[in-house]
Amino acid sequence: MNGARSLIQSLVKAGIEVCFANPGTSEMHLVQAMDAEPEFRGVLCLFEGVCTGAADGYARIAGKPAVTLLHLGPGLGNGIANLHNARRAGSPIINLVGNHTQDHEKLDAPLTSDIETLAKNVSRWIKTDSTAESLAADGLAAVSAVMQKARGSKGQIATLIIPADACWGPVTGVAPITVAIPSLAQSNADFAQIAERLTASSLILLDKDGLLPAAREAAAKIAKHVGCRVAMTAFPARIDSGPGSPVIERLPYFPEQVQKALHGVDHILLAGASEPVSFFAYPETPSKLAPADCERQVLAEGHQDVVLALQSLMTELQSDSAEPDRYQAAAFEVPTGKLTTRWVATMIAQQMPEGSILCGDSGGGAAVLGPAQQSSAHTWLNLTGGSIGQGGPAAIGAAIAAPNAQVFALLGDGASMYTIQALWTQARECLAVITVIFNNQRYGILETEYLRLGVNEIGQHAGALFALTEPNIQFADLASSLGVPGRRVDSCEDFQAVLAEALHRTGPTLIEVML
Ligand SMILES: Cc1ncc(C[n+]2csc(CCOP(=O)(O)OP(=O)(O)O)c2C)c(N)n1
Ligand SMILES: [Mg+2]
């Protein structure tokens, strides 16, 4: 028994089942240890941003961590962008990062770098000095750490930076399994006082566990009883919804739209959410978006039991029997002719099977959310941290966590190219993922943001930084080369037919929608 074996064995015994891996020489003993645990599924990803995004998607669906296997500082560095998104989503992830031995590190061999500094950005728990004897216990401490909710945006990611000799060194016995998962912290809000304070000009704002179906149900009943509004933040990590779910507003993206949405609100009750702030700072717009005289009150923080807090408030108000507005199943107009984002969204919502998982990113995918409410039960995984290139990798993790679900990756042409290698893993693992590329041949949102500077036109040089032309990307061909059947469509009739075909196929498909 060596350290690597003891670690992987302990993780398996703790219920960890999947490793999204891109290994190198410093991880060879860990690879060998995985080889000895056939029930531990190793999934090769060809870029670390795919490993980390897949681990995020897996965690959001499975509710438990996957492991990533990353090669020293450069490997972790390549995975940071999607770890950032995962941190904002509060997804539990355990990164195993191989390192040199401590003696070798001192020699500044080529792959030496300050891995801990990279890890600090995205990890609430880090260990760098494991020994062979401590490694199994360190792995279990990492599991406990990621299963505990953290305050604010600290996230739930652990990074175990493993000296090579801790992997190959001998171990006398494996630590007994002790994964201590602390129970959720309780809110200490004064429910009676909050019940008194709520009026028709209050707004209940939901995020984190406030997005869970039971929390939304309670919040909607409270809002109905009080006659006030209830909204979720603009970028919720996971929403399970569809016909029958209570209607909950979603705050918009641009700051002036949020300000407009919050106009007249004099009291915001935060249930798992932080107060609304602008995504970016702009010269003429305040960063805090609620009206200046609006009172902010915390019902429960994101790391606390938000569901129980909302249910307690519901009991306090005796609003259990209130009947909130609910989404209704509706028949859709069948579009024909030229494709638009809205039509594509309508057709996806119309055809998606019950229980589909929709993974968003930049591009037009968010347009599916509206019609999906009137179609069938589904789960939406949103881009949480604004770092694009998440949707394709998240779809891998979601499909592995929910093998019977149809998964959709709804991607902008720009977003897809950050982690296009996701397609290869989808093909190799034969995952039920349909990728839809909203191909407008540009970084569309950046053009919009540029025009918001107050300029009337986009100059040639600036425009060149937003255009994805010369050469045009052939997504259908690109997908085929990575093992995913790809089809390019430019009419609604074609999209309907190609989507129907994709839904009958085993394994992934890519549909390139020309907008
Ligand atoms: C990692 C990262 N790099 C750069 C950006 C800046 N950015 C935001 S949106 C965007 C382009 C999105 O283009 P696309 O996916 O094609 O969607 P569209 O806006 O065209 O609908 C870029 C580059 C980012 N958000 N994240
Ligand atoms: Mg685009």
Side-chain angles (χ1 to χ4, degrees), residues 346-361:
T346 307
M347 290 184 281
I348 293 171
Q350 197 178 37
Q351 287 203 37
M352 67 182 194
E354 181 100 6
S356 289
I357 300 172
L358 305 157
C359 302
D361 209 310

PDB file of all heavy atoms in Angstrom, residues 346-361:
ATOM      1  N   THR A 346     -37.730  28.469 -28.469  1.00  0.00           N
ATOM      2  CA  THR A 346     -39.084  27.896 -28.438  1.00  0.00           C
ATOM      3  C   THR A 346     -39.056  26.431 -28.869  1.00  0.00           C
ATOM      4  O   THR A 346     -39.674  25.575 -28.245  1.00  0.00           O
ATOM      5  CB  THR A 346     -40.022  28.684 -29.388  1.00  0.00           C
ATOM      6  OG1 THR A 346     -39.930  30.056 -29.043  1.00  0.00           O
ATOM      7  CG2 THR A 346     -41.459  28.219 -29.280  1.00  0.00           C
ATOM      8  N   MET A 347     -38.299  26.143 -29.934  1.00  0.00           N
ATOM      9  CA  MET A 347     -38.276  24.770 -30.464  1.00  0.00           C
ATOM     10  C   MET A 347     -37.577  23.812 -29.495  1.00  0.00           C
ATOM     11  O   MET A 347     -37.987  22.659 -29.343  1.00  0.00           O
ATOM     12  CB  MET A 347     -37.609  24.756 -31.843  1.00  0.00           C
ATOM     13  CG  MET A 347     -38.473  25.422 -32.904  1.00  0.00           C
ATOM     14  SD  MET A 347     -37.761  25.321 -34.563  1.00  0.00           S
ATOM     15  CE  MET A 347     -36.540  26.629 -34.521  1.00  0.00           C
ATOM     16  N   ILE A 348     -36.540  24.292 -28.803  1.00  0.00           N
ATOM     17  CA  ILE A 348     -35.876  23.434 -27.811  1.00  0.00           C
ATOM     18  C   ILE A 348     -36.858  23.133 -26.674  1.00  0.00           C
ATOM     19  O   ILE A 348     -37.037  21.984 -26.268  1.00  0.00           O
ATOM     20  CB  ILE A 348     -34.591  24.102 -27.268  1.00  0.00           C
ATOM     21  CG1 ILE A 348     -33.546  24.208 -28.382  1.00  0.00           C
ATOM     22  CG2 ILE A 348     -34.020  23.290 -26.094  1.00  0.00           C
ATOM     23  CD1 ILE A 348     -32.323  25.040 -28.002  1.00  0.00           C
ATOM     24  N   ALA A 349     -37.511  24.177 -26.184  1.00  0.00           N
ATOM     25  CA  ALA A 349     -38.459  23.985 -25.078  1.00  0.00           C
ATOM     26  C   ALA A 349     -39.571  23.017 -25.475  1.00  0.00           C
ATOM     27  O   ALA A 349     -39.982  22.162 -24.686  1.00  0.00           O
ATOM     28  CB  ALA A 349     -39.044  25.331 -24.657  1.00  0.00           C
ATOM     29  N   GLN A 350     -40.023  23.163 -26.713  1.00  0.00           N
ATOM     30  CA  GLN A 350     -41.123  22.340 -27.216  1.00  0.00           C
ATOM     31  C   GLN A 350     -40.732  20.860 -27.293  1.00  0.00           C
ATOM     32  O   GLN A 350     -41.494  19.996 -26.928  1.00  0.00           O
ATOM     33  CB  GLN A 350     -41.392  22.862 -28.628  1.00  0.00           C
ATOM     34  CG  GLN A 350     -42.658  22.513 -29.265  1.00  0.00           C
ATOM     35  CD  GLN A 350     -42.666  23.207 -30.638  1.00  0.00           C
ATOM     36  OE1 GLN A 350     -41.659  23.315 -31.324  1.00  0.00           O
ATOM     37  NE2 GLN A 350     -43.836  23.672 -31.009  1.00  0.00           N
ATOM     38  N   GLN A 351     -39.529  20.605 -27.739  1.00  0.00           N
ATOM     39  CA  GLN A 351     -39.133  19.208 -27.998  1.00  0.00           C
ATOM     40  C   GLN A 351     -38.419  18.544 -26.832  1.00  0.00           C
ATOM     41  O   GLN A 351     -38.283  17.324 -26.811  1.00  0.00           O
ATOM     42  CB  GLN A 351     -38.211  19.145 -29.227  1.00  0.00           C
ATOM     43  CG  GLN A 351     -38.925  19.355 -30.541  1.00  0.00           C
ATOM     44  CD  GLN A 351     -38.133  18.725 -31.706  1.00  0.00           C
ATOM     45  OE1 GLN A 351     -37.534  17.671 -31.577  1.00  0.00           O
ATOM     46  NE2 GLN A 351     -38.140  19.398 -32.845  1.00  0.00           N
ATOM     47  N   MET A 352     -37.923  19.320 -25.884  1.00  0.00           N
ATOM     48  CA  MET A 352     -37.081  18.684 -24.852  1.00  0.00           C
ATOM     49  C   MET A 352     -37.888  17.686 -24.028  1.00  0.00           C
ATOM     50  O   MET A 352     -39.020  17.968 -23.623  1.00  0.00           O
ATOM     51  CB  MET A 352     -36.435  19.737 -23.943  1.00  0.00           C
ATOM     52  CG  MET A 352     -37.419  20.493 -23.094  1.00  0.00           C
ATOM     53  SD  MET A 352     -36.573  21.733 -22.104  1.00  0.00           S
ATOM     54  CE  MET A 352     -37.892  22.113 -20.940  1.00  0.00           C
ATOM     55  N   PRO A 353     -37.313  16.509 -23.775  1.00  0.00           N
ATOM     56  CA  PRO A 353     -38.053  15.544 -22.957  1.00  0.00           C
ATOM     57  C   PRO A 353     -38.127  15.986 -21.500  1.00  0.00           C
ATOM     58  O   PRO A 353     -37.296  16.779 -21.038  1.00  0.00           O
ATOM     59  CB  PRO A 353     -37.242  14.258 -23.086  1.00  0.00           C
ATOM     60  CG  PRO A 353     -36.026  14.568 -23.867  1.00  0.00           C
ATOM     61  CD  PRO A 353     -36.030  15.999 -24.265  1.00  0.00           C
ATOM     62  N   GLU A 354     -39.101  15.460 -20.789  1.00  0.00           N
ATOM     63  CA  GLU A 354     -39.267  15.688 -19.352  1.00  0.00           C
ATOM     64  C   GLU A 354     -37.942  15.371 -18.644  1.00  0.00           C
ATOM     65  O   GLU A 354     -37.282  14.391 -18.961  1.00  0.00           O
ATOM     66  CB  GLU A 354     -40.356  14.721 -18.866  1.00  0.00           C
ATOM     67  CG  GLU A 354     -40.700  14.806 -17.424  1.00  0.00           C
ATOM     68  CD  GLU A 354     -41.966  15.616 -17.182  1.00  0.00           C
ATOM     69  OE1 GLU A 354     -42.630  16.013 -18.157  1.00  0.00           O
ATOM     70  OE2 GLU A 354     -42.254  15.854 -15.995  1.00  0.00           O
ATOM     71  N   GLY A 355     -37.551  16.219 -17.720  1.00  0.00           N
ATOM     72  CA  GLY A 355     -36.335  15.946 -16.944  1.00  0.00           C
ATOM     73  C   GLY A 355     -35.051  16.368 -17.636  1.00  0.00           C
ATOM     74  O   GLY A 355     -33.954  16.018 -17.184  1.00  0.00           O
ATOM     75  N   SER A 356     -35.156  17.135 -18.707  1.00  0.00           N
ATOM     76  CA  SER A 356     -33.940  17.598 -19.393  1.00  0.00           C
ATOM     77  C   SER A 356     -33.137  18.530 -18.504  1.00  0.00           C
ATOM     78  O   SER A 356     -33.689  19.220 -17.646  1.00  0.00           O
ATOM     79  CB  SER A 356     -34.304  18.350 -20.686  1.00  0.00           C
ATOM     80  OG  SER A 356     -34.794  17.468 -21.668  1.00  0.00           O
ATOM     81  N   ILE A 357     -31.829  18.525 -18.727  1.00  0.00           N
ATOM     82  CA  ILE A 357     -30.939  19.450 -18.013  1.00  0.00           C
ATOM     83  C   ILE A 357     -30.376  20.425 -19.042  1.00  0.00           C
ATOM     84  O   ILE A 357     -29.824  19.998 -20.062  1.00  0.00           O
ATOM     85  CB  ILE A 357     -29.794  18.685 -17.320  1.00  0.00           C
ATOM     86  CG1 ILE A 357     -30.360  17.694 -16.303  1.00  0.00           C
ATOM     87  CG2 ILE A 357     -28.817  19.659 -16.648  1.00  0.00           C
ATOM     88  CD1 ILE A 357     -29.330  16.751 -15.701  1.00  0.00           C
ATOM     89  N   LEU A 358     -30.543  21.717 -18.775  1.00  0.00           N
ATOM     90  CA  LEU A 358     -30.109  22.754 -19.712  1.00  0.00           C
ATOM     91  C   LEU A 358     -28.907  23.479 -19.118  1.00  0.00           C
ATOM     92  O   LEU A 358     -28.997  24.027 -18.017  1.00  0.00           O
ATOM     93  CB  LEU A 358     -31.252  23.743 -19.947  1.00  0.00           C
ATOM     94  CG  LEU A 358     -32.570  23.109 -20.433  1.00  0.00           C
ATOM     95  CD1 LEU A 358     -33.751  24.002 -20.116  1.00  0.00           C
ATOM     96  CD2 LEU A 358     -32.500  22.822 -21.921  1.00  0.00           C
ATOM     97  N   CYS A 359     -27.793  23.464 -19.824  1.00  0.00           N
ATOM     98  CA  CYS A 359     -26.582  24.129 -19.327  1.00  0.00           C
ATOM     99  C   CYS A 359     -26.362  25.402 -20.131  1.00  0.00           C
ATOM    100  O   CYS A 359     -26.183  25.340 -21.350  1.00  0.00           O
ATOM    101  CB  CYS A 359     -25.369  23.220 -19.474  1.00  0.00           C
ATOM    102  SG  CYS A 359     -25.556  21.652 -18.607  1.00  0.00           S
ATOM    103  N   GLY A 360     -26.348  26.534 -19.476  1.00  0.00           N
ATOM    104  CA  GLY A 360     -26.222  27.810 -20.169  1.00  0.00           C
ATOM    105  C   GLY A 360     -24.787  28.297 -20.233  1.00  0.00           C
ATOM    106  O   GLY A 360     -23.875  27.706 -19.666  1.00  0.00           O
ATOM    107  N   ASP A 361     -24.599  29.385 -20.929  1.00  0.00           N
ATOM    108  CA  ASP A 361     -23.296  30.054 -21.058  1.00  0.00           C
ATOM    109  C   ASP A 361     -23.627  31.411 -21.662  1.00  0.00           C
ATOM    110  O   ASP A 361     -24.786  31.837 -21.603  1.00  0.00           O
ATOM    111  CB  ASP A 361     -22.375  29.216 -21.968  1.00  0.00           C
ATOM    112  CG  ASP A 361     -20.896  29.404 -21.617  1.00  0.00           C
ATOM    113  OD1 ASP A 361     -20.468  30.565 -21.516  1.00  0.00           O
ATOM    114  OD2 ASP A 361     -20.189  28.406 -21.435  1.00  0.00           O
TER     115      ASP A 361
END
